[in-house]
Amino acid sequence: MSVGIRHDDLRKRNRAMVISAIRRAGQASRTGIAATTGLSHSTISAISADLIAEGILAEAKNGETNALKRGRPQVAIGLDPEAATVVTIVLLFNFLMVSVVDFAGRTIVEQRKKLSTFDLSADDLVGECIATVRSQLARRGQFGRPVRRIVLAVQGTTDADHHTLLWSPITPSEGIDFGGRLESAFGAPVTVENDCNMIAMALRWRDPERYRNDFIAILLSHGIGMGLVLKGDLFTGTQSSGGEFGHMVHRPDGALCRCGRRGCVEAYAGNYAIWRKARGASEDEAPVSDIGAADMAALAAAARDHDGPEREAYRRAGEALGYGLGSLFALIDPAPVAMVGIGAGAFDLIEPALRTAIALTAGGQHSKAISFATDSDEIPLIALGCAMRALTFIDQEVLAAGSAAMARGRDVG
């Protein structure tokens, strides 16, 4: 018995495929879209005509064409920047960034600010986000673009419904309903995401050849985080955003972690842990709340210059990361790894001990095949991941459905 596909479902799927192909390419000819999607030329022509009429797509301006092929020049089609707007919020330890992004993925306005996240109440923390979004929406000008979605990335664990911050090292408050508060303030759907998951999403968009079906993004910063993609999907828990690699136990009853527990991977590999060890402080010493980039750079320089406590601190960090990754690889098999964040700038100091530790685990049977890439600035990746999370949702769930779904969207700000 065969099950037919409803016409409306088929139409939505085909529209989503066309929008996705153009978003990935930036601009594409109708022939190029057909080659990417496998849809017929007549179907592409009909869908693109509808999407152009609806203001979702636009033909290239100033007579731009695809002149690489022989024969009649092909007019390229791109996303119409004015079709929609999304807002992205990046909330990290003592840091807030809000961006307003157009439908083509370009940032219209953006603000970065320092704030003492741990000293703010839950209401004040949410209030800072709302006030900053309002100020940026006021700055964007009269573009007439409706805000279709808001995505907030935050350090810590979020719920499986992508609405609530369950726990975070940046605040003593728990169970903060960012989603509900932001939706009430702006009338647009809100998604609350773990920051490392957004890094993973950004890596796949930026380098789809390396980061495709199975890969790992490890954040090496004040804390240690992970975004894990398996079989093309972000790994999340049944109740939370999952992926708390930094709080896996490396040594039971070991060094004090800023989560309040002991022996976590982060308690050996986070910036504060490397700093604590390099200074010869006790493992029971409370983690330093904030260490400047210049201080960490000086520490790494000293470790490269001579053998001493600084080098030993980085060796110990590599060991903790290596045993953690080796245990993970014993479950999922080796996969490409991206080391992201300020700590990635010192990966040369971490890698030898990391690889040695991996090789000592069951997951290290194929350790020589494991490849690492580094990026020392996580902020652009988190912001890109948020933007693509928001835009692809709009592509697939709103614009692909056609005028009825679009009519349900409301202008915000």
Side-chain angles (χ1 to χ4, degrees), residues 48 62 70-71 81 91 99 119 123 169 215 228 237 273 282 285 307 335 375 405:
S48 61
N62 302 322
R70 295 180 180 179
L91 181 60
S99 306
D119 297 327
D123 284 344
F215 66 91
L228 175 62
S282 167
E285 181 179 283
D307 192 10
D375 190 320

Coordinates of all heavy atoms in Angstrom, one line a residue, residues 48 62 70-71 81 91 99 119 123 169 215 228 237 273 282 285 307 335 375 405:
S48 N 9.7 29.9 -8.5 CA 10.4 31.1 -8.5 C 9.6 32.3 -8.8 O 9.7 33.4 -8.2 CB 11.7 31.0 -9.3 OG 11.3 30.9 -10.7
N62 N 20.9 45.3 -11.7 CA 21.9 45.8 -12.5 C 22.3 44.8 -13.6 O 23.4 44.8 -14.1 CB 23.2 46.2 -11.8 CG 22.8 47.2 -10.7 OD1 22.0 48.1 -10.9 ND2 23.5 47.1 -9.5
R70 N 27.5 28.6 -21.7 CA 27.2 29.0 -23.1 C 25.7 29.2 -23.3 O 24.9 28.6 -22.6 CB 27.8 28.1 -24.1 CG 29.3 28.0 -24.1 CD 29.8 27.0 -25.1 NE 31.3 26.9 -25.1 CZ 32.0 26.1 -25.9 NH1 31.3 25.3 -26.7 NH2 33.3 26.0 -25.8
G71 N 25.3 29.9 -24.4 CA 23.9 30.1 -24.7 C 23.4 31.3 -24.1 O 24.1 32.3 -23.7
P81 N 16.2 40.9 0.6 CA 16.6 41.2 2.0 C 15.4 41.7 2.8 O 15.3 41.6 4.0 CB 17.6 42.3 1.8 CG 18.2 42.1 0.4 CD 17.0 41.6 -0.4
L91 N 24.1 35.9 24.7 CA 24.3 36.2 26.1 C 25.3 35.3 26.8 O 25.0 34.1 26.9 CB 22.9 36.1 26.9 CG 22.9 36.5 28.4 CD1 23.3 37.9 28.6 CD2 21.5 36.2 28.9
S99 N 21.7 41.6 17.5 CA 21.9 42.0 16.1 C 20.5 41.9 15.4 O 19.7 41.0 15.8 CB 22.8 41.0 15.4 OG 24.1 40.9 16.0
D119 N 25.8 39.4 38.7 CA 25.3 40.3 39.8 C 23.9 40.8 39.5 O 23.3 41.5 40.3 CB 26.2 41.6 39.9 CG 27.6 41.2 40.3 OD1 27.7 40.3 41.1 OD2 28.6 41.9 39.9
D123 N 15.2 39.0 36.6 CA 14.3 40.1 35.9 C 15.2 41.1 35.3 O 14.9 41.6 34.1 CB 13.4 40.8 37.0 CG 12.2 39.9 37.3 OD1 12.0 39.0 36.6 OD2 11.6 40.2 38.4
P169 N 26.3 29.1 34.2 CA 27.3 29.7 35.1 C 27.4 31.2 35.1 O 28.1 31.8 35.9 CB 28.6 29.1 34.5 CG 28.3 28.9 33.1 CD 26.9 28.5 33.0
F215 N 30.2 15.6 13.6 CA 31.3 16.4 14.0 C 31.1 17.0 15.4 O 29.9 16.9 15.9 CB 31.6 17.6 13.0 CG 30.6 18.6 12.9 CD1 30.6 19.8 13.7 CD2 29.5 18.5 12.0 CE1 29.6 20.7 13.6 CE2 28.5 19.5 11.9 CZ 28.6 20.6 12.7
L228 N 27.3 19.0 19.5 CA 27.6 17.7 18.9 C 26.5 17.4 17.8 O 25.3 17.6 18.1 CB 27.5 16.6 20.0 CG 27.5 15.1 19.6 CD1 28.9 14.8 18.9 CD2 27.3 14.3 20.8
G237 N 19.3 16.6 24.6 CA 18.7 15.7 25.6 C 17.2 15.6 25.5 O 16.6 16.4 24.7
A273 N 40.7 27.4 35.3 CA 41.5 26.3 35.8 C 42.9 26.3 35.4 O 43.8 26.0 36.2 CB 40.8 25.0 35.3
S282 N 45.6 26.3 45.1 CA 45.0 25.1 45.5 C 43.8 24.8 44.6 O 43.1 25.7 44.1 CB 44.5 25.2 46.9 OG 43.6 24.1 47.2
E285 N 40.6 26.3 45.6 CA 40.4 27.8 45.4 C 39.2 28.1 44.5 O 39.1 27.5 43.4 CB 41.6 28.5 44.9 CG 41.5 30.0 44.8 CD 42.8 30.6 44.3 OE1 43.7 30.7 45.1 OE2 42.8 30.9 43.1
D307 N 59.8 25.6 30.3 CA 59.1 24.5 31.0 C 58.9 25.0 32.4 O 59.8 25.4 33.1 CB 59.9 23.2 31.0 CG 59.1 22.0 31.5 OD1 57.9 22.1 31.7 OD2 59.7 20.9 31.7
A335 N 35.3 11.7 15.0 CA 34.7 12.6 14.1 C 35.5 13.9 14.1 O 36.3 14.1 15.0 CB 33.3 12.9 14.5
D375 N 39.5 27.9 15.9 CA 39.0 29.3 15.6 C 38.9 30.0 17.0 O 38.2 29.5 17.9 CB 37.6 29.2 15.0 CG 37.1 30.6 14.5 OD1 37.4 31.6 15.2 OD2 36.5 30.7 13.4
A405 N 0.4 31.3 5.8 CA 1.3 31.4 7.0 C 2.0 32.8 7.1 O 2.2 33.3 8.2 CB 2.4 30.3 6.8

